[in-house]
Amino acid sequence: MAAAPAAERPKTSPKSIKFLFGGLAGMGATVFVQPLDLVKNRMQLSGAGAKGREYRTSLHALGSILRHEGLRGVYTGLSAGLLRQATYTTTRLGIYSVLLERFGGPDGTPPPFLAKAAMGMTAGAAGAFVGTPAEVALIRMTADGRLPPGERRGYRNVFDALVRMAREEGVLTLWRGCIPTMARAVVVNAAQLASYSQSKQFLLDSGHFRDDILCHFCASMISGLVTTAASMPVDIVKTRIQNMRTVDGKPEYRNGLDVLVKVVRYEGFFSLWKGFTPYYARLGPHTVLTFIFLEQMNKWYQRLFLSA
């Protein structure tokens, strides 16, 4: 009796396309959420150095930025945000997509949850290392407007920021905060990528959703909420280290643990989750838009090039 033929693996897009779509999806989302990213960074830096909080709420921060820096001010650092997505998001989503395909079943069934979490961590750490220079530039550019004019760094764009940081502070400054950036990425990607896949699978299995934009939106919102709760303490460490100055040869913080200790001591334990609302207001829509753009590009590529 002849053996049954092995299940044929569905056609998928080339690896280069996976990387390209990952970066384009992240960049498209950044155009919409850059003002929220700026507010999130300002809120996390508010109270740094044992100073009083500059902003009471995220709305107060947004109003203050608009009042003092104008409408263009809320898009400060957009070039750095786009470069971050072109490097960080391209790498992490591309690697995650490749791993998902590599370790999935022969018929295209996804791997189990823990495997997806491990893939998310691996993809996130790799993407964070590649994207750290753009991340440092973004933090500094979005923080500049809160400083007195004489203390501002005044970077014209992300490339000016990268060149000046390397020339004035050394090339290694481009990777300042690389460890907490990678740690944050591990947490974010384990939560975001795995919880998105798991949430989408759960919604589809419930029988109340089809594989469409509504399903992608709901899964993305769940994923964004999980990611926000898990990653905020690590994110504030990353933000403070990348924005810190060195005064008389002495940096503001020795390491990530020193940031945590000082934040808890001077600002209170729950300040590690300071600005939960603006953080989610940024991360939630970015997660939603990234995955919606990614799903739609994959769907159109499948329809135009793979369905023949």
Side-chain angles (χ1 to χ4, degrees), residues 57-304:
T57 64
S58 55
L59 286 177
H60 177 230
L62 181 60
S64 177
I65 293 165
L66 286 170
R67 187 165 57 253
H68 295 109
E69 301 169 50
L71 189 60
R72 291 183 61 184
V74 297
Y75 272 94
T76 300
L78 177 61
S79 62
L82 292 174
L83 182 62
R84 179 180 66 172
Q85 297 304 322
T87 52
Y88 169 64
T89 303
T90 299
T91 303
R92 75 182 178 101
L93 285 179
I95 290 177
Y96 182 74
S97 297
V98 170
L99 291 174
L100 199 64
E101 178 187 338
R102 172 67 180 80
F103 293 100
D107 58 349
T109 55
F113 177 77
L114 290 179
K116 285 187 286 192
M119 292 174 198
M121 293 178 192
T122 303
F129 181 81
V130 173
T132 294
E135 186 87 36
V136 176
L138 175 66
I139 295 299
R140 291 185 173 198
M141 291 176 75
T142 54
D144 225 22
R146 60 186 282 273
L147 300 172
E151 296 179 21
R152 293 176 185 173
R153 295 179 169 106
Y155 300 133
R156 295 191 302 274
N157 53 58
V158 64
F159 300 109
D160 180 51
L162 295 176
V163 169
R164 282 183 51 193
M165 280 190 283
R167 187 174 63 239
E168 296 168 9
E169 303 172 58
V171 173
L172 291 181
T173 303
L174 299 177
W175 276 270
R176 175 177 287 173
C178 182
I179 299 301
T181 301
M182 292 175 73
R184 171 193 174 274
V186 167
V187 174
V188 165
N189 285 277
Q192 186 185 69
L193 293 171
S195 64
Y196 174 80
S197 298
Q198 200 71 10
S199 300
K200 180 182 170 187
Q201 219 168 294
F202 173 78
L203 293 173
L204 291 173
D205 291 345
S206 71
H208 300 295
F209 290 85
R210 291 176 296 175
D211 191 359
D212 54 16
I213 286 185
L214 177 61
C215 177
H216 304 159
F217 175 84
C218 293
S220 297
M221 290 303 292
I222 296 169
S223 175
L225 186 63
V226 172
T227 304
T228 300
S231 65
M232 282 195 72
V234 191
D235 191 68
I236 197 171
V237 169
K238 176 195 74 66
T239 300
R240 295 279 178 100
I241 285 180
Q242 290 178 333
N243 188 62
M244 73 177 178
R245 292 179 180 271
T246 300
V247 181
D248 297 327
K250 185 178 179 181
E252 292 179 60
Y253 305 106
R254 295 190 301 274
N255 49 48
L257 181 61
D258 188 41
V259 177
L260 291 174
V261 169
K262 286 181 176 177
V263 169
V264 171
R265 178 184 298 165
Y266 296 117
E267 302 170 49
F269 177 74
F270 289 103
S271 289
L272 296 175
W273 285 269
K274 178 168 57 177
F276 185 96
T277 301
Y279 189 104
Y280 183 61
R282 182 262 172 197
L283 186 61
H286 192 273
T287 305
V288 170
L289 290 168
T290 297
F291 281 114
I292 285 177
F293 289 154
L294 188 60
E295 293 276 4
Q296 294 305 304
M297 283 189 287
N298 283 331
K299 185 171 288 187
W300 278 101
Y301 188 88
Q302 180 82 25
R303 185 177 299 172
L304 293 173

